[in-house]
Each structure stands twice: as C-alpha cells, then as structure tokens.
Amino acid sequence: MKSLKFAVLPGDGIGPEVMSVTLDILKIIGERFNFTLDYQTADIGGIAIDNHGTAFPVTTQAICEESDAILFGSVGGPKWESLPPKDQPERAALLPIRKAFSLYANIRPGLLYSELAEASPLKSERIPKGIDIVCIRELTGGIYFGQPKSTYEEAGETVALDTMIYKTSEIERIAKVAIDTAKNRQKKVCSVDKANVLETSVLWRKTVTDYFKKHAPEIELSHMYVDNAAMQLARDPNQFDVLFTENMFGDILSDEMGVICGSLGMLASASLGASKNSIGLPFGLYEPSGGTAPDIAGKGIANPCAQILSAAMMLRYSFGENEAAETIEKAVEKAVTSGSRTGDIAFGGKALSTKEMSEAILHSI
Ligand code: IPM
Ligand code: MN
C-alpha cells in the first residue's frame, strides 16, 4: 500500500485543533483510497520560539526536507507580538519556509457555495451562484524579498528601504502555473499589475503577454491595474476566473477575495515549489488562508474546513490523489450546504464544535 510522507506543522492558535481533526479525516480517506499516512510533526512559529528559541528551527526544516509535502496550520498570536517585527512568527517562520523550499506559486481558491451567500458582505443578488475564482500569487519575489532591504539613518532622520524586483524567469514560471490552473477552469486569466507606475509591472505585463502568446494562445488573457482589480472584485467577483498577480498585490487581493467569500474559515491554499518531491510531483506547503484566530483558540469551536480543504489540495498536487481530494471537497460541500456549520458560518443556527463539524464531514464521505 502506498504511504504518504508529509510533515505536519500545526503551529499556534487554532492550528493544532483544526490539524487534529484533519488528520483523522485523512486517515479515513486513506483507508478508502488505499494509502496510509507517514507523517512527522514538528514545531513552527510561536510554539517553536517557546520550545527552541527560534520560529523555524533547523530540526523542523530537516523534517520538511525529508517529506514530500508540508501540511501547515497557522502561526502567530498575542504572546509573540511584543517581539521585534522580524522575529515574530509570521515573518520569522512563514517567509523563511517559503524561501527555503522556493515555494513560488501560491494558489488560493476563492470559493463560496451559493447556500452560504449570506456569509458574504456582498449583496446576494451580486453573487447568485456564489463565488468561484482562484488567485495565483507569486510568493518568493517582489518587494517581500528584494534586496537591499534596510532601515538606516541619513541626514539626521530615519530612512526605510524595500526593493521591488522581478526577473523574467520568475514571472515566466508563475505564468505557467496560471496557465495550468486556467486550463482546468474557464480558460480565462486576468493578470493584475501597476504598469502605469512600476517598472516591475511593465516587465510583468510584457513577459506575461509574450509567454501566454507563445505557450497558451487558447487562454483568454486580460490585464488590469491593481487598484481597479480591488474595485472590480468587490463589484462583480465572478467576472474573474483566474486572478494572477505578483507577491504584494496578491497578498492584498487574496484577503479581499477571502472576505467576499464569507469566512476565512473556509479558504484553503497551496504553495508549490520549484522542486519535485520523491514521487516526481511538486513539493508544496498547504495551509488555511485564515490566521491563528487567538480569540477562539483552545475552545474547540474553530472551523476546520479550511485546514481539511488544504489537506485535499495536498492530496491532489503533491500526491496525485485526485479522487481522494475530490471526495473530501465534495464531503465538505455537502456537510456545509446541508446545514452542518461552525459558528463563523452558522448565522444564528446551531453552531457545531470543531469535532462535530469534522464528524459531519466524515458522515458525508
Ligand atoms: C499571507 C500572510 C503573510 C504574507 C504574512 C503573515 C507574512 O498575510 O500568507 O497572506 O504577507 O504573505
Ligand atoms: Mn496575507
């Protein structure tokens, strides 16, 4: 029987709670689809600072390196907010792990079932069929990582500097991910930039245009400035199919996409790497789009769907278990649309605990 080798990094806040029920579901799915789980758990984020003095310990990195994928919870919380920004879990764990594994392709599906339309701040008549878009965000370049990056004194005042930088090769490899994603969807990509102001965006637009013309003329490509894209997303999200953009614009737009899709508790994500894993598929990190939700951590009431759906993405992209992935996705949809819901999406109806929610999902499998 096939054995799936992955690292489990539950992290902080609600991470461990939603991770635990997700592993239960994976185990049962494995029985159905003939695979076993061979995972190793390690500390990351705040808990790693507490236990090892660093947010991304080398022992954790070593476990990830021995694995074919990483199932990630979430990191950060009030306990570590007084640390200098660069030592806080988000910057000291998430950014280094992305860089360490060259996880340049961030795939964030923005999915809202029509039955959950009232969870969205958008008027339901704007989203009669719910929402179904996907954001492809470049994740290891741009202003997040560009050098130089520093704060210094000059002429009697403090100056801070970030560098926004892109190379053609970085743009082309993420353009390929946008194309591959669009091929399985409506074959429509909207590339978002700020080419009326930024040099990096001028290069982005030209490179994307040339790459699509050469490699995927069948895909309908359009371009939009990021300010307009933010507006259009709030006005009519379903005009987009694949929303494709650079690192910082993608950070901002994917949060906006998250909020119009109702609850961050429903949104999964995948970050795929440049390297292949031991079975020849993309190595990737899979994490919910929401954060650690410190306000409800430890209460057993967090929505586990985003973590469970992230595990489904892991099965699909890093293990090629498409049918198992689809089975999980359908089970989540069935459970939620038939009324099994945690507090974030219950609207005054019965709010299930994390455990009850996962049982409802298992029941739908
Ligand atoms: C995200 C997060 C991170 C980012 C932060 C926590 C560093 O907001 O994954 O979107 O900005 O990429
Ligand atoms: Mn973000």
Side-chain angles (χ1 to χ4, degrees):
M1 190 155 31
K2 193 168 155 186
S3 165
L4 312 191
K5 198 166 163 55
F6 57 100
V8 172
L9 312 184
D12 309 314
I14 60 169
E17 302 161 46
V18 294
M19 186 65 83
S20 146
V21 299
T22 299
L23 292 169
D24 294 342
I25 290 184
L26 279 179
K27 189 159 175 283
I28 287 166
I29 282 285
E31 285 162 14
R32 161 88 84 92
F33 288 92
N34 264 318
F35 59 76
T36 56
L37 309 182
D38 171 16
Y39 64 83
Q40 273 182 282
T41 305
D43 288 340
I44 190 119
I47 188 165
I49 295 176
D50 292 352
N51 292 345
H52 313 267
T54 164
F56 182 33
V58 285
T59 46
T60 299
Q61 181 163 347
I63 285 175
C64 295
E65 276 162 8
E66 288 163 15
S67 305
D68 287 326
I70 303 168
L71 190 57
F72 194 96
S74 48
V75 294
K79 187 170 175 197
W80 306 282
E81 267 164 18
S82 51
L83 293 173
K86 67 171 189 20
D87 298 326
Q88 288 180 21
E90 291 87 340
R91 249 177 92 179
L94 215 42
L95 298 188
I97 202 172
R98 286 174 184 167
K99 205 59 177 178
F101 293 98
S102 298
L103 303 171
Y104 68 89
N106 185 222
I107 305 176
R108 295 189 168 169
L111 191 62
L112 173 70
Y113 313 131
S114 55
E115 290 84 350
L116 272 185
E118 63 176 314
S120 174
L122 296 188
K123 292 200 183 80
S124 10
E125 59 260 33
R126 291 189 182 232
I127 43 171
K129 297 200 192 102
I131 298 173
D132 182 5
I133 55 185
V134 55
C135 179
I136 305 292
R137 166 187 175 196
E138 199 292 323
L139 201 59
T140 50
I143 201 166
Y144 271 59
F145 294 97
Q147 292 296 339
K149 187 189 237 344
S150 66
T151 303
Y152 55 92
E153 300 301 316
E154 189 179 82
E157 63 180 332
T158 308
V159 182
L161 169 75
D162 292 291
T163 302
M164 188 158 185
I165 179 165
Y166 269 109
K167 296 192 274 206
T168 313
S169 55
E170 289 174 295
I171 302 170
E172 286 180 342
R173 66 179 183 179
I174 187 77
K176 180 173 187 314
V177 176
I179 289 170
D180 291 344
T181 308
K183 279 185 179 161
N184 296 317
R185 299 176 50 95
Q186 288 177 42
K187 303 186 172 45
K188 231 174 76 179
V189 173
C190 179
S191 171
V192 174
D193 62 41
K194 189 71 184 171
N196 48 350
V197 177
L198 301 175
E199 286 298 314
T200 43
S201 281
V202 173
L203 179 66
W204 179 278
R205 192 175 283 217
K206 178 180 183 309
T207 306
V208 169
T209 304
D210 293 349
Y211 192 87
F212 273 62
K213 198 180 269 170
K214 182 157 177 218
H215 298 278
E218 75 281 16
I219 304 282
E220 183 191 325
L221 172 69
S222 60
H223 301 274
M224 199 180 274
Y225 296 140
V226 63
D227 47 350
N228 186 26
M231 193 166 73
Q232 296 301 330
L233 201 50
R235 208 180 58 81
D236 175 20
N238 286 318
Q239 72 183 275
F240 300 111
D241 181 35
V242 175
L243 203 54
F244 166 46
T245 191
E246 65 88 45
N247 203 346
M248 186 167 60
F249 298 159
D251 179 43
I252 299 167
L253 290 179
S254 65
D255 259 35
E256 184 182 351
M257 189 183 76
V259 74
I260 63 173
C261 287
S263 175
L264 278 176
M266 295 300 299
L267 297 184
S269 83
S271 302
L272 305 185
S275 60
K276 298 273 187 269
N277 62 23
S278 78
I279 51 174
L281 291 169
F283 181 88
L285 179 150
Y286 301 85
E287 62 175 323
S289 288
T292 51
D295 51 323
I296 57 165
K299 295 187 178 158
I301 58 170
N303 187 345
C305 291
Q307 188 78 61
I308 294 165
L309 293 170
S310 300
M313 291 183 91
M314 175 178 83
L315 293 181
R316 174 174 294 117
Y317 291 112
S318 285
F319 294 108
E321 293 286 342
N322 295 332
E323 235 185 295
E326 225 164 88
T327 303
I328 294 179
E329 286 161 353
K330 290 232 171 76
V332 170
E333 176 168 3
K334 193 168 155 208
V336 169
T337 56
S338 66
S340 298
R341 296 176 187 179
T342 42
D344 54 324
I345 49 173
F347 316 112
K350 182 173 168 14
L352 301 184
S353 69
T354 305
K355 186 96 188 114
E356 288 166 336
M357 185 68 218
S358 74
E359 277 157 8
I361 294 166
L362 274 179
H363 195 75
S364 304
I365 288 176

